[in-house]
Amino acid sequence: MHPNFGIFVDPINEFNQIFVPLANKMFAEIKQTNIPVVLSPDIQTFSGRKIIFGAHSNPIFWSKHSNKNDIFVNFEPVYVSSWAENNPVYCKLLQEHAVIDYSKRNIDHCGDVVVLPVPPQFHHFPKNNKKNEVLFVGNPTSHRKIKL
């Protein structure tokens, strides 16, 4: 039986590895439902529906290797006009595909979208005593500096 879904984390950008735990969790959850799914199949031979993480790093590749049935997982602030202006190919992909997104702010910039908020990006926690150190992985953009 051919897999219905293939989960891809674009390898071109080493920082896309931050998506691997979520991709693994999604793989496990889909597999539990007995829907045929594979993790990181060969893009050249895979014929099922793709779930793609990290396409912002390689949008030209994914515009050539995706079809209307594929799903993009977006963690980028496409609602920020300067970000969108600098990434038009990726934004077009989001407008033409189903999207799993982290923020309802991106809804107007995506096709068929489901929002799965990822805390703590848009959740406010009351003041508490610092108990743990945190390692942030990503580019320190002006938008992220404000949040951090």
Side-chain angles (χ1 to χ4, degrees):
M1 175 180 279
H2 293 293
N4 293 1
F5 290 96
I7 299 178
F8 296 82
V9 176
D10 190 289
I12 197 167
N13 181 342
E14 65 184 305
F15 293 111
N16 285 349
Q17 292 304 303
I18 64 173
F19 303 132
V20 169
L22 183 56
N24 287 338
K25 177 71 172 165
M26 186 178 285
F27 170 75
E29 293 291 325
I30 294 171
K31 191 171 184 152
Q32 226 174 31
T33 65
N34 293 321
I35 295 173
V37 60
V38 291
L39 191 58
S40 302
D42 180 353
I43 189 70
Q44 302 302 326
T45 59
F46 182 75
S47 62
R49 191 171 190 187
K50 294 180 273 310
I51 300 172
I52 306 160
F53 290 80
H56 67 286
S57 298
N58 204 0
I60 293 171
F61 175 86
W62 290 108
S63 64
K64 294 176 184 174
H65 292 90
S66 64
N67 62 53
K68 296 281 185 197
N69 293 321
D70 294 336
I71 302 167
F72 287 85
V73 181
N74 177 56
F75 286 101
E76 299 302 322
V78 295
Y79 66 89
V80 175
S81 59
S82 60
W83 196 97
E85 289 166 9
N86 290 328
N87 298 278
V89 177
Y90 179 65
C91 290
K92 185 175 181 196
L93 282 172
L94 296 183
Q95 292 164 1
E96 296 175 347
H97 291 84
V99 177
I100 298 172
D101 205 292
Y102 78 105
S103 172
K104 60 186 172 185
R105 295 182 192 185
N106 285 330
I107 289 175
D108 294 339
H109 306 279
C110 299
D112 184 20
V113 64
V114 172
V115 176
L116 299 174
V118 179
Q121 182 67 18
F122 290 105
H123 298 280
H124 173 72
F125 296 102
K127 285 188 176 184
N128 56 26
N129 293 331
K130 182 177 165 182
K131 295 180 182 177
N132 299 306
E133 294 291 326
V134 176
L135 172 64
F136 172 77
V137 179
N139 293 328
T141 63
S142 58
H143 171 75
R144 289 177 178 162
K145 285 180 183 177
I146 292 169
K147 295 292 180 184
L148 293 171

